[in-house]
Each structure stands twice: as structure tokens, then as C-alpha cells.
Amino acid sequence: MGAKTFEEIGGPAARRHLFLCTGPDCCAPGQGLATWEHLKASLKEHAIPALRTKAACLRMCHDGPWLVVYPDGVWYAQVTPERFDRIRREHLEGGTPVAEWVRAVNPLVK
Ligand code: FES
């Protein structure tokens, strides 16, 4: 891991911050970690300007892995690696959330 600066983690360029819960209660840890590893690789491969954080629990311990995208405030349920690919294309790159997988929307700045 190691200590990094805000610049080194891509903070100044970030347009979004993604939080992914990897279980163990909302999904099997292996399932959550598979999505997490895919998410990290996909953001890097496609040069998506987003910060990412692996969350231990987002307090809705069912139907995971949960992905929350800020500042949009979009909550996605059951995010598999395959689903993340579509979320990346349509939401993170295209700007339109994948409505069929959205469970809640609450931008925190109103
Ligand atoms: S363990 Fe994922 S929301 Fe609680």
C-alpha cells in the first residue's frame, strides 16, 4: 500500500469517487473482490478520472456488491464485473446512469 500524496492518487483530476462494498454480508467476499479488482483495472485501462474506495460495509447488507458513485449519488446493486463494464461505459464515460440497476439516487449537494 504505502503513503501517497493527493496528486499521486489522482485527486486533482478526479471527476467522481466510487465506493464499492466487497462484503462479506451483502455478497460473498470472493464476489465482491472480483468486482473490486475488475473495477480498479477497468478505471486504469480506460483512464477514467475517478477515485475509488473499497468499503467494508455500506449498511445495506443484501443485494451486493453495492457501488455508490459520487457526486451523482447513484447507488447500484449487484455489481458484477460485467455490470461494471456497462456502468463504466454508459455512466462514467457517457454520463447516463444505467437505470435498470439503480436502487437509489441522492446527490449530497442539492
Ligand atoms: S457488507 Fe456490503 S453493505 Fe454491508
Side-chain angles (χ1 to χ4, degrees):
M1 206 165 298
K4 295 183 178 178
T5 65
F6 188 65
E7 287 73 19
E8 288 170 335
I9 66 168
R15 312 310 303 163
R16 290 189 171 91
H17 196 148
L18 281 54
F19 295 84
L20 181 80
C21 181
T22 56
D25 295 329
C26 64
C27 64
Q31 185 184 12
L33 287 173
T35 298
W36 174 246
E37 292 302 326
H38 184 76
L39 178 155
K40 285 195 301 181
S42 182
L43 292 180
K44 186 172 184 180
E45 178 184 352
H46 295 276
I48 305 296
L51 301 174
R52 76 280 196 288
T53 296
K54 182 171 66 172
C57 180
L58 293 169
R59 302 182 63 204
M60 296 204 300
C61 303
H62 55 85
D63 293 337
W66 284 96
L67 172 67
V68 188
V69 179
Y70 286 117
D72 318 58
V74 173
W75 290 65
Y76 288 106
Q78 299 177 324
V79 180
T80 61
E82 294 74 22
R83 283 189 175 196
F84 182 78
D85 284 339
R86 186 171 162 201
I87 292 167
R88 182 208 17 101
R89 283 194 311 273
E90 296 184 19
H91 186 166
L92 304 181
E93 294 180 305
T96 303
V98 182
E100 66 204 82
W101 301 329
V102 172
R103 290 287 178 88
V105 179
N106 182 27
L108 299 183
V109 177
K110 301 179 179 168

